[in-house]
Amino acid sequence: MEFVKEKARTQVMRLVNTYLSNRELGVQEIKAVCDLFKEHYDEKIEVSRYKYEDRNYYETDFDLVEVNFCKERIHTSIQTVITIHEQAIALIDQPMEIIVTNDDTDTEIQLFEEDCNNVSSFGLFVTKRSIPQLVPYYTSDICHAYLNFKYVSFGVMFE
């Protein structure tokens, strides 16, 4: 009888990092965030900026295209993403709210716009604020990060 070690089941994803801000991020701020990502990732980064009439915040998306997280190192991968956002929050001179998920953040943004403390179903949410009723996954003098694998898998198959 031959035993084959099961390969970690992962899938390539688009990791969407949406920065919500009161003012539009400038070119230098966007470059600084991209440089932070490039220190840790070789994947292509696509940047998009939006300001919808019916929304309160400017949205800047930093999408890592075709990134792959694996189950065995998911917490290390998440910590790397948190570190990048923590450094970005320290660099950018305005309040930032950051939503991270795979593929799309539109649903999360709509929920956030209705209630800025309704982030419990988000994959990863990074902010300077403390969210009442939620226990942070990570906290520092700069930010609090809230993580939830229940609705967002970051491309990892949890079995």
Side-chain angles (χ1 to χ4, degrees), residues 40-87:
H40 299 279
Y41 294 100
D42 294 327
E43 285 79 11
K44 179 181 173 185
I45 302 168
E46 292 180 357
V47 178
S48 306
R49 297 192 286 183
Y50 310 95
K51 177 59 172 104
Y52 297 107
E53 292 294 322
D54 62 336
R55 296 209 176 146
N56 297 323
Y57 298 94
Y58 287 89
E59 302 168 25
T60 306
D61 287 350
F62 298 88
D63 296 358
L64 287 176
V65 180
E66 297 185 0
V67 71
N68 191 359
F69 289 172
C70 71
K71 181 179 175 181
E72 292 76 20
R73 294 188 313 271
I74 187 65
H75 289 283
T76 303
S77 298
I78 294 296
Q79 189 57 49
T80 299
V81 173
I82 291 169
T83 298
I84 291 166
H85 296 314
E86 183 176 34
Q87 293 171 337

Side-chain angles (χ1 to χ4, degrees), residues 82-100:
I82 291 169
T83 298
I84 291 166
H85 296 314
E86 183 176 34
Q87 293 171 337
I89 287 171
L91 287 173
I92 297 171
D93 188 27
Q94 68 170 305
M96 303 295 307
E97 309 279 1
I98 303 167
I99 300 170
V100 183

Side-chain angles (χ1 to χ4, degrees), residues 22-158:
N22 293 324
R23 289 181 283 112
E24 186 174 22
L25 293 184
V27 173
Q28 289 301 93
E29 293 168 317
I30 290 171
K31 181 184 179 321
V33 174
C34 286
D35 289 345
L36 291 171
F37 274 107
K38 289 175 185 175
E39 289 176 21
H40 299 279
Y41 294 100
D42 294 327
E43 285 79 11
K44 179 181 173 185
I45 302 168
E46 292 180 357
V47 178
S48 306
R49 297 192 286 183
Y50 310 95
K51 177 59 172 104
Y52 297 107
E53 292 294 322
D54 62 336
R55 296 209 176 146
N56 297 323
Y57 298 94
Y58 287 89
E59 302 168 25
T60 306
D61 287 350
F62 298 88
D63 296 358
L64 287 176
V65 180
E66 297 185 0
V67 71
N68 191 359
F69 289 172
C70 71
K71 181 179 175 181
E72 292 76 20
R73 294 188 313 271
I74 187 65
H75 289 283
T76 303
S77 298
I78 294 296
Q79 189 57 49
T80 299
V81 173
I82 291 169
T83 298
I84 291 166
H85 296 314
E86 183 176 34
Q87 293 171 337
I89 287 171
L91 287 173
I92 297 171
D93 188 27
Q94 68 170 305
M96 303 295 307
E97 309 279 1
I98 303 167
I99 300 170
V100 183
T101 189
N102 41 310
D103 298 324
D104 186 35
T105 57
D106 191 60
T107 300
E108 289 84 356
I109 293 168
Q110 289 177 30
L111 290 170
F112 181 82
E113 288 272 345
E114 292 172 14
D115 177 2
C116 67
N117 291 324
N118 184 14
V119 300
S120 63
S121 65
F122 296 7
L124 178 63
F125 182 73
V126 183
T127 182
K128 285 184 176 184
R129 303 179 296 117
S130 178
I131 307 288
Q133 313 302 325
L134 294 180
V135 177
Y137 170 79
Y138 171 85
T139 190
S140 72
D141 291 340
I142 297 172
C143 72
H144 303 282
Y146 300 88
L147 177 66
N148 183 336
F149 285 124
K150 186 173 183 178
Y151 302 106
V152 179
S153 67
F154 295 103
V156 174
M157 301 294 198
F158 294 101

